[in-house]
Amino acid sequence: MSISLDEVRHVANLARLQLSETELLSFQGQLNSLLGHFEDIQNLDVSGVAPKPHAVAMQNVFARDIAHQPLPREEALRNSADTKAGLFIVPTIIEE
Amino acid sequence: MLNQLTAAEIAAKLRAKEVSAREVTQSFLDRIVKEDPHYNAFLTVNSDQALAQADQAQSKIDSGEHHPLCGIPIALKDNLSTRNIKTTCASRILENYVPPFTATSVQKLDDIGAISIGKTNLDEFAMGTTNENSAFGSVHNPWDTERAPGGSSGGSAVAVSAELAPLSLGSDTGGSIRFPAALCGVVGFKPTYGRVSRYGLVAFASSLDQIGPFAKNVEDAALLANAISGHDPLDSTSLKNSQINTSDLKTGSLRGLRLGIPEELFGPEIDPQVREVFELACDNLAREGAEIKRLSLPSINYGVTTYYIIAPAEASSNLARFDGVRFGPRIEKEGHIESFSATRGELFGPEVKLRIMVGTYALSSGYYDAYYHRAQQVRGLMTAEFERAYQDLDFIISPTSPIVAPKLGGITDQMALKALDLCTIPANMGGFPSISIPCGLAYDLPVGFQLTGPVMSDEKILQASYAIEQAFGRDYRRPPIL
């Protein structure tokens, strides 16, 4: 399987990564090389094998519903590039 | 010289009042200032905070009731969140990030009076094999400063190896503790997944990440593993009754210990001289009564592929939070998607971007089944194969790394670099505890001996490692440069 430059562009958009044309070309090469290596598991017989999403499976992990002091607002906002009136400022999503 | 001592030896001196916690901390701070320019192991040195912590530790010591690690300086990989201390993940996107909270593992150390001496360099977001992917420069191996220390916890491995701190913490997703430990000639231990809380560890691949210690010897590694482990309600994958008990550490024996060498980790992939050192180490253990047998675990051959699908898939999701809104600088563009994309495109390094791309592709519509789902099935296959082997064996053993420390910039083939994780990946897939112990030199560079055991065998693996270390000879080898 080989991945086209348009597919690389599509994946970069899905990943929210703005890449230069040089980067797109470089990632196309690297992705194709990796995907080539990934072929080795395509022929492996995994029929009937349950997928293993966790290292150590656990079930029903509950936390007690206890009220506690949350992080103060100013600390939560401290690392943001742009805040106003105790809120994160985000780029405009909905126009008036 | 304090720097040459193990943490347990420094602890004894602190207890005997031969030295104060401030003197210990100051001596390591001085060493970092003087020596670290050769290695670039530290990204942040917490001089003032460390000395304040040392004075508090001294009061605890004077009161007579204290933990053995009270007053011992410990270096922390810079992907462990530390309240009011910069945590960069060696990435420009977090260059000025100061967490408002502390990782549970670090909090536990603070609580017992250990000293957080500084934050160590790593591959950006822990993604790399040689520690050449840091946005703040490569780390240099004390055994030969033109060589890589291994990654991704290269700074933490070097901190201990170059005696800039008696102990350090790293994180291991596909070998990131054990691999640099092997290349730098120190002990590195990845506990069973869930025994050390991941709360506050900046997530790379959540189902694989685990925090663990670097130390000069097994006793010190066990001390630190004991201190950071235990159930934590803040991490939903944290196991109950998970504190690592080390009271029987020194009571083990090699007699009758059943060790298995998978032929998949003993073939042409392994450098012949590394293989020779490993074989001598095995002979040594056999003479002491260990039973060593060969076996085949064919799924190991698919480990690298499986890892490089699962880890990037999880990373692509975990790293979605870095969008310039809540952390880090923001590059303003017309629309929000353009802003996010420009920020991420500009501030993530090339390897991180590659892995986000791989992960996004593997999870995208039409490819999910062929890649991510199938990789998880192979992960199941691999885990089951190891669990079957553990029915007749105590531990699987192999060299930790197929090669000794490579020259910085020496490996340019990306896939060859990724294949170096061959020996270490299976432990992360199964959540198994795994340790690397120095076992000799090849080309005058350290070789690591790896043991991997079943889930929750941490106590047994440390006990066996202690006995193995005795068999290898207690003379801890220092890098010649020291």
Side-chain angles (χ1 to χ4, degrees):
Chain A
M1 198 179 304
S2 137
I3 176 167
S4 72
L5 197 58
D6 276 346
E7 283 176 293
V8 178
R9 205 173 269 122
H10 172 65
V11 173
N13 180 47
L14 289 175
R16 301 290 182 254
L17 288 171
Q18 183 183 300
L19 303 176
S20 67
E21 284 301 310
T22 322
E23 281 180 305
L24 285 168
L25 278 169
S26 154
F27 285 135
Q28 183 190 15
Q30 292 186 68
L31 277 169
N32 276 323
S33 153
L34 279 169
L35 294 177
H37 287 280
F38 293 173
E39 283 300 308
D40 63 354
I41 61 165
Q42 300 305 330
N43 300 320
L44 200 61
D45 182 12
V46 289
S47 50
V49 182
K52 181 179 164 59
H54 303 292
V56 179
M58 295 172 78
Q59 279 184 325
N60 296 342
V61 179
F62 297 117
R64 292 209 186 125
D65 190 15
I66 302 169
H68 64 279
Q69 205 59 43
L71 205 58
R73 185 178 283 249
E74 53 280 9
E75 286 205 36
L77 293 168
R78 195 174 58 192
N79 282 286
S80 176
D82 197 2
T83 65
K84 192 175 173 184
L87 301 166
F88 293 111
I89 298 296
V90 297
T92 309
I93 291 169
I94 303 166
E95 302 286 343
E96 269 184 60
Chain B
M1 291 295 277
L2 282 169
N3 56 290
Q4 296 187 34
L5 303 180
T6 65
E9 288 165 345
I10 297 174
K13 285 194 178 296
L14 284 167
R15 210 161 36 238
K17 307 277 165 68
E18 287 173 34
V19 67
S20 73
R22 180 173 266 268
E23 283 163 352
V24 170
T25 302
Q26 190 65 59
S27 77
F28 281 100
L29 286 171
D30 292 346
R31 246 188 99 72
I32 294 170
V33 170
K34 187 159 161 272
E35 304 295 338
D36 196 44
H38 302 305
Y39 311 116
N40 198 27
F42 281 85
L43 294 177
T44 304
V45 182
N46 308 331
S47 309
D48 297 345
Q49 270 151 312
L51 289 170
Q53 278 185 319
D55 291 340
Q56 287 167 12
Q58 191 59 49
S59 336
K60 280 189 187 165
I61 294 167
D62 292 341
S63 76
E65 273 298 305
H66 68 278
H67 189 278
L69 292 182
C70 184
I72 304 292
I74 300 178
L76 307 168
K77 189 175 182 179
D78 206 22
N79 59 353
L80 289 160
S81 302
T82 43
R83 186 178 153 79
N84 296 335
I85 298 170
K86 216 160 56 162
T87 300
T88 68
C89 291
S91 180
R92 285 176 56 217
I93 211 161
L94 288 178
E95 195 166 359
N96 298 307
Y97 172 62
V98 180
F101 60 90
T102 295
T104 298
S105 53
V106 179
Q107 189 62 53
K108 280 174 180 283
L109 295 177
D110 285 353
D111 292 345
I112 59 176
I115 318 296
S116 298
I117 198 159
K119 306 295 294 286
T120 58
N121 205 346
L122 64 151
D123 283 301
E124 183 175 359
F125 284 102
M127 298 180 188
T129 314
T130 53
N131 216 138
E132 290 170 288
N133 295 335
S134 166
F136 309 120
S138 298
V139 180
H140 299 255
N141 192 322
W143 285 82
D144 175 350
T145 51
E146 286 177 16
R147 288 176 187 272
S152 67
S153 314
S156 287
V158 170
V160 173
S161 173
E163 300 173 354
L164 307 176
L167 291 170
S168 65
L169 286 185
S171 65
D172 190 313
T173 305
S176 283
I177 292 174
R178 293 159 287 152
F179 190 80
L183 269 45
C184 293
V186 297
V187 172
F189 175 47
K190 182 199 89 70
T192 295
Y193 182 89
R195 292 200 84 164
V196 178
S197 168
R198 290 183 299 109
Y199 178 75
L201 169 68
V202 179
F204 160 16
S206 310
S207 83
L208 304 166
D209 297 341
Q210 189 60 198
I211 298 166
F214 287 92
K216 285 195 182 79
N217 65 12
V218 174
E219 181 182 11
D220 274 10
L223 258 177
L224 186 48
N226 165 269
I228 60 173
S229 57
H231 178 67
D232 178 15
L234 297 174
D235 172 3
S236 63
T237 60
S238 160
L239 299 170
K240 293 268 158 61
N241 304 317
S242 52
Q243 186 163 29
I244 296 171
N245 179 340
T246 53
S247 51
D248 293 332
L249 181 73
K250 299 182 181 177
T251 61
S253 154
L254 294 178
R255 196 144 297 282
L257 196 68
R258 299 165 306 166
L259 306 173
I261 307 173
E263 64 187 35
E264 291 76 12
L265 299 180
F266 205 62
E269 306 77 20
I270 311 292
D271 179 288
Q273 292 215 30
V274 170
R275 215 158 56 197
E276 204 179 299
V277 170
F278 176 76
E279 229 163 350
L280 281 172
C282 289
D283 293 347
N284 193 343
L285 300 182
R287 271 198 305 277
E288 302 277 331
E291 296 165 16
I292 300 178
K293 68 172 194 180
R294 301 279 178 103
L295 74 162
S296 175
L297 297 168
S299 67
I300 288 175
N301 292 328
Y302 305 102
V304 173
T305 289
T306 309
Y307 176 79
Y308 278 97
I309 294 172
I310 291 176
E314 294 188 19
S316 72
S317 168
N318 275 325
L319 270 60
R321 72 192 64 174
F322 302 107
D323 53 13
V325 173
R326 287 158 300 165
F327 334 90
R330 185 192 299 184
I331 294 164
E332 300 279 1
K333 292 273 167 183
E334 201 58 23
H336 64 290
I337 290 180
E338 290 76 5
S339 290
F340 297 165
S341 303
T343 303
R344 291 161 61 79
E346 176 72 27
L347 298 174
F348 281 138
E351 182 66 22
V352 173
K353 285 192 269 196
L354 173 67
R355 296 203 195 188
I356 292 175
M357 293 286 285
V358 173
T360 306
Y361 181 76
L363 291 174
S364 67
S365 168
Y367 300 104
Y368 180 92
D369 282 335
Y371 293 110
Y372 187 61
H373 184 79
R374 181 166 274 266
Q376 286 198 333
Q377 287 179 303
V378 181
R379 183 179 185 180
L381 206 69
M382 183 180 247
T383 307
E385 203 172 87
F386 271 71
E387 282 167 352
R388 269 196 305 280
Y390 291 139
Q391 291 173 2
D392 307 311
L393 290 173
D394 295 305
F395 304 109
I396 308 284
I397 58 170
S398 72
T400 310
S401 159
I403 57 166
V404 293
K407 290 263 187 200
L408 286 161
I411 305 175
T412 48
D413 176 352
Q414 284 301 309
M415 204 58 218
L417 212 48
K418 290 177 167 52
L420 295 176
D421 296 335
L422 175 76
C423 309
T424 48
I425 281 171
N428 301 83
M429 291 295 162
F432 307 133
S434 186
I435 191 167
S436 178
I437 312 167
C439 69
L441 302 179
Y443 312 98
D444 294 324
L445 294 165
V447 174
F449 185 97
Q450 180 179 257
L451 291 96
T452 302
V455 159
M456 293 302 277
S457 67
D458 305 67
E459 283 81 358
K460 277 183 66 183
I461 208 171
L462 287 168
Q463 195 186 52
S465 301
Y466 183 83
I468 287 172
E469 187 181 58
Q470 307 293 311
F472 289 167
R474 281 307 302 268
D475 58 327
Y476 168 75
R477 290 197 203 216
R478 308 175 71 212
I481 195 175
L482 308 182

